[in-house]
Amino acid sequence: MDAPFNQVPPLTTWEGLFNFWNSNPDAVPFAGGIQFLRFQGKRAPVLPHKLISLEDIEELHRITRTEQYLELGAMVRLSEIINLGTTVPEILRKCLEGIAGPQIRNSTTIGGNICATSHHMDSCAALIALDARYELRSMASTPPTSFTLSSLFSTQSSTRWIAASRFTSASLAPRELLTRIRIPLEPWNYSLYRKFHRSELDNTDTGVIVLLLRNQKEILTDIRIVFAGSTVLEDKRIESLLSGKHLPLSRKDVHAAIVQWETCLATLSPEQSFIRTELSNFVTTSLLGLVD
Ligand SMILES: Cc1cc2nc3c(=O)[nH]c(=O)nc-3n(C[C@H](O)[C@H](O)[C@H](O)COP(=O)(O)OP(=O)(O)OC[C@H]3O[C@@H](n4cnc5c(N)ncnc54)[C@H](O)[C@@H]3O)c2cc1C
């Protein structure tokens, strides 16, 4: 007899999880489940035929802090991250606080927000700007080095790391999971966040832009401007145009940075005219605020 629809077996170890996934290659990871339930209205929700619950893998709920990094397991809920307070870089907290209401933030996981398939969700711009890296885990592609009886029946898993700036949900290989998010804790002196949202049903003109500044006395030592939505915009040339300059900035330097940003915006499609205008206004106003 076929297994009932939507049955989620308790998977508590990597070995159990990847063994299950190996024998059910069409199964889909289930974190908070919010993406599956969104836009289904009041009818009985339709879910993928086979789900892999990530809930019982203890490691995925872990939060670790060292002097240099904050590490979040992929199953940590957005509200848990917000509740860590000042341990979390301010720009990431601002982005997470802007996501839906408390009930959704209690269910949504950071891993699910990063892996959501529609477009880059609200945590992504901050994670890219902060130079976060993601740990991805899959079944090992290399065979075990020694062939003991137990190694014949066990599934080894292996990990690789990828920069947040290079990650999209398409970066995941078949049967690969996002397992850990590593966020550098270098301090930033100033952070700005804006969310653009024209329509609930159309992701073309939706996204988040963040701006981070670091200064030492009166020298601007680092600046990051990142937009993430249907696409990611980050122009490293703006960073090199402005880093190392004296604060307040000269009108000439800011003008050059604005021209550079407009070049970056020119890559957006004509359908993205709303977001293009908003991103142009945001960056122009923010940078002019740094002029004498
Ligand atoms: C009313 C409402 C308003 C919302 N508003 C916002 C908003 O303003 N901003 C915003 O960013 N989001 C918003 N969301 C969307 C919500 O944040 C995302 O759908 C959510 O981030 C998905 O997270 P989840 O933990 O529920 O993941 P799931 O729904 O369980 O998974 C999402 C996708 O990622 C895959 N996946 C999950 N975890 C992993 C993993 N560890 N490794 C590999 N693949 C994985 C799943 O297979 C699935 O394809 C809203 C949702 C609702 C219902």
Side-chain angles (χ1 to χ4, degrees):
M1 200 176 93
D2 278 351
F5 281 106
N6 306 326
Q7 185 178 4
V8 184
L11 301 167
T12 55
T13 62
W14 293 124
E15 190 182 348
L17 187 146
F18 285 113
N19 273 333
F20 175 81
W21 211 351
N22 207 19
S23 35
N24 297 274
D26 55 337
V28 179
F30 185 97
I34 301 293
Q35 180 179 287
F36 302 114
L37 302 175
R38 200 176 182 188
F39 305 124
Q40 296 221 25
K42 291 188 175 133
R43 60 179 185 214
V46 180
L47 294 171
H49 183 70
K50 287 178 188 160
L51 297 168
I52 296 187
S53 170
L54 306 180
E55 189 62 42
D56 298 316
I57 304 275
E58 192 263 326
E59 203 178 314
L60 292 176
H61 293 269
R62 226 172 263 163
I63 300 174
T64 319
R65 198 213 136 126
T66 66
E67 241 175 65
Q68 290 170 316
Y69 300 110
L70 174 67
E71 289 195 344
L72 303 168
M75 285 297 285
V76 175
R77 264 51 189 197
L78 303 188
S79 50
E80 286 178 77
I81 303 171
I82 294 168
N83 291 340
L84 292 172
T86 52
T87 305
V88 182
E90 187 185 25
I91 193 65
L92 179 59
R93 236 175 39 236
K94 284 182 186 170
C95 289
L96 300 185
E97 282 167 353
I99 295 178
Q103 275 180 322
I104 300 290
R105 295 196 296 267
N106 283 341
S107 307
T108 294
T109 64
I110 185 71
N113 197 255
I114 294 168
C115 294
T117 43
S118 53
H119 68 300
H120 290 90
M121 303 302 268
D122 289 10
S123 59
C124 298
L127 290 168
I128 294 170
L130 292 166
D131 285 333
R133 294 178 69 77
Y134 303 152
E135 182 194 64
L136 309 181
R137 186 180 285 264
S138 59
M139 272 169 44
S141 50
T142 46
T145 45
S146 65
F147 281 96
T148 60
L149 191 59
S150 64
S151 77
L152 285 175
F153 293 101
S154 71
T155 306
Q156 311 273 326
S157 67
S158 67
T159 57
R160 65 181 173 118
W161 287 87
I162 182 169
S165 57
R166 292 189 45 229
F167 182 87
T168 67
S169 54
S171 311
L172 291 166
R175 281 165 279 156
E176 188 169 44
L177 286 175
L178 166 65
T179 43
R180 197 161 27 144
I181 297 98
R182 178 178 286 170
I183 307 163
L185 289 175
E186 290 160 298
W188 292 90
N189 299 96
Y190 184 66
S191 64
L192 268 181
Y193 143 92
R194 186 76 53 83
K195 179 168 173 163
F196 304 109
H197 194 213
R198 194 162 70 159
S199 150
E200 179 78 3
L201 296 173
D202 178 8
N203 286 331
T204 322
D205 266 349
T206 301
V208 162
I209 186 163
V210 299
L211 184 149
L212 296 178
L213 285 186
R214 183 181 293 134
N215 64 292
Q216 265 176 8
K217 296 199 175 144
E218 278 156 16
I219 302 295
L220 178 62
T221 52
D222 212 346
I223 179 164
R224 303 278 162 84
I225 301 174
V226 178
F227 168 76
S230 56
T231 184
V232 172
L233 298 176
E234 181 186 24
D235 194 326
K236 293 277 182 197
R237 277 163 295 187
I238 295 181
E239 292 162 28
S240 45
L241 277 172
L242 298 182
S243 295
K245 301 285 178 178
H246 205 276
L247 287 167
L249 296 173
S250 73
R251 198 162 282 277
K252 183 168 155 262
D253 287 336
V254 164
H255 180 70
I258 292 171
V259 170
Q260 187 57 48
W261 181 244
E262 292 299 326
T263 313
C264 189
L265 291 182
T267 60
L268 294 174
S269 69
E271 291 76 45
Q272 294 172 296
S273 58
F274 164 81
I275 207 89
R276 186 173 169 166
T277 309
E278 296 291 330
L279 293 176
S280 174
N281 291 343
F282 175 86
V283 169
T284 304
T285 315
S286 308
L287 292 182
L288 284 176
L290 301 171
V291 172
D292 196 357

